[in-house]
Amino acid sequence: MGLDFSVIPGYFDALLLGSLWTVAITLSSALISFFGGILLAVIALYSPAIIRYPFRAFAFMFMGTPLLLQLFLIYFGLIQIGLDLPAFVAGVIGLGLHFAVYNSDIIQAGILAVDKGQHEGARTLGLSRLQTIRKIIVPQAVRTVLPPIGNNMIALLKDSALVSVIGVAELTLTAQLAISNTFRPFEFYVAAAACYYVINLGLEYGLRRLEQSIQTSR
Amino acid sequence: MTNDQPFISVRHAKKNYGALEVLKDINLQVDKGQIVAIIGPSGSGKSTLLRAINDLDPLTGGEIWLEDMQINKELPHRQYEKHINKVRQNIGMVFQHFNLFPHLTVRENITLAPKMLKGISDAEANKLAEEQLAKVGLSDRIDYYPSQLSGGQKQRVAIARALAMKPKVMLFDEATSALDPELVEEVNLVMKQLAEEHMTMIIVTHEMGFAESVCDRVLFMDEGIVVEEGPPEVIFKNPKNERTQNFLRKHLNG
């Protein structure tokens, strides 16, 4: 049985829809992972031990266990304690928290790299510690670590394929459904891969534009 | 405020890092509108003293007063934070390395604190930024980022930023030490202008010429004590203490 790519156009709409779901999952989880990462970084660096250590244990849970398992736990496991999340929400929470932990490590390094004079400059104007962190330190830290965070976001896009296992009809699951109808795995996996590739190009372009736009303000 | 109460008063200031004493029983009084220069070799404690005045480097002993308010009073942590943030709004500080916020424009650098702390409107804040920038001669740079400015311009923006809080006193911590020689004068001019407006200023400096021409009083510090103080014409022309003489010989002829 040879290759026959003529089956793809019939599934064009389905693949497009799957791609859109993948983009939606990626962007939603990216937002959670970004702001969650900032929050975790600030907690790790500035909060008292009584708050810091529980959060560190929580963070390590997300770093030290497989993402796939985390998704299963959030989607299938939480139902048992009465938390019945839609698959999309469960997927976004899982991906978002998982990458928030990775982003937090990077952002912590960025915060520590901000010059001490920035803190002093802000405090002498009368800003409180929290105001200084929020308005002066974190914005600068995020600017310097944007490239490595961008790399994480590209990894996030690729790992979003994992949420297919909890039934979110994103790109990978769409490809699998098409394959179960047509028995053409090679064609549809290649088509899905091509879609991921294009989405990734778009993501990279967006990240580069973002980096350029903040060049002068660093 | 009664006339015999000094504007700023440092009483028996002590500061040590472990066994190392950097300030040993310093007393200093500054009247309203007075301009005081602190000179001395590096490691003499002059920057530490200046930074103690707004509690950036807290003293380990002694008191600092601004008018009838003790700056470094003992309070529980939270209350102290509130207190010191209020106090610092009255004390402008200019640093050697400017400490402008690089992610904000010149305008935003100046308006940030007044907007956050005094709750003024955007329009008022913009007007304030324009006024302060005009004063330091940088009106045309209002929407630039700090990275697009020269060192002298950065320092003038830093001064404008401090002035926008309408401080009662300005502290200068070697404000021109990090500048290329040809950029020092533009910053000195701004400081001279402030002096003419009778802003109370305490200036830590290595520029003897500037201290001599602008200041009302000069303190010479060495090894954590005030060795000698007096009007500039006495300190620079006719110092009594041998250490002052040695220091000035090196600095005035070098």
Side-chain angles (χ1 to χ4, degrees), chain A residues 47-130:
Chain A
S47 69
I50 188 161
I51 300 172
R52 191 165 68 235
Y53 285 109
F55 267 92
R56 186 179 292 176
F58 168 81
F60 192 72
M61 234 170 55
F62 276 91
M63 225 175 192
T65 61
L67 177 54
L68 187 61
L69 199 72
Q70 292 164 21
L71 291 172
F72 283 149
L73 188 67
I74 292 170
Y75 184 58
F76 299 115
L78 289 185
I79 297 175
Q80 283 176 272
I81 56 167
L83 211 58
D84 188 0
L85 298 171
F88 178 82
V89 175
V92 164
I93 290 176
L95 276 170
L97 290 182
H98 187 83
F99 279 90
V101 172
Y102 283 99
N103 282 348
S104 150
D105 271 10
I106 296 173
I107 293 167
Q108 281 180 51
I111 287 175
L112 294 174
V114 174
D115 185 66
K116 193 169 136 273
Q118 291 294 311
H119 191 84
E120 292 185 346
R123 294 306 302 274
T124 49
L125 288 167
L127 266 65
S128 71
R129 222 164 90 99
L130 198 63

Side-chain angles (χ1 to χ4, degrees), chain B residues 9-58:
Chain B
S9 150
V10 177
R11 302 172 194 168
H12 304 291
K14 291 187 190 71
K15 166 102 185 164
N16 54 285
Y17 296 104
L20 179 72
E21 283 183 283
V22 280
L23 296 176
K24 303 166 190 165
D25 197 28
I26 303 267
N27 289 287
L28 165 66
Q29 299 201 338
V30 181
D31 295 331
K32 196 173 165 72
Q34 228 181 18
I35 298 154
V36 175
I38 307 176
I39 60 170
S42 63
S44 59
K46 55 192 192 306
S47 278
T48 309
L49 174 61
L50 193 77
R51 289 162 57 87
I53 291 174
N54 67 2
D55 207 49
L56 270 188
D57 273 343

Side-chain angles (χ1 to χ4, degrees), chain A residues 115-132 134-137 139-140 143 213 215-218, chain B residues 51 54 56 81 84-86 88-89 91-93 95 99-104 109 112-113 116-117 145 147-148 161-162 165:
Chain A
D115 185 66
K116 193 169 136 273
Q118 291 294 311
H119 191 84
E120 292 185 346
R123 294 306 302 274
T124 49
L125 288 167
L127 266 65
S128 71
R129 222 164 90 99
L130 198 63
Q131 286 170 328
T132 302
R134 202 157 53 85
K135 290 285 182 178
I136 306 299
I137 308 296
Q140 288 184 55
R143 279 170 168 77
S213 74
Q215 267 308 321
T216 40
S217 53
R218 266 172 66 182
Chain B
R51 289 162 57 87
N54 67 2
L56 270 188
E81 276 285 305
I84 201 67
N85 292 337
K86 263 271 176 303
R88 283 176 178 152
Q89 294 185 31
I91 305 176
M93 181 146 189
F95 298 87
N99 297 355
L100 289 181
F101 309 131
H103 61 303
L104 302 179
N109 262 279
L112 177 82
M116 284 182 83
L117 303 174
Y145 280 98
S147 61
Q148 298 166 310
R161 179 176 75 178
M165 289 301 286

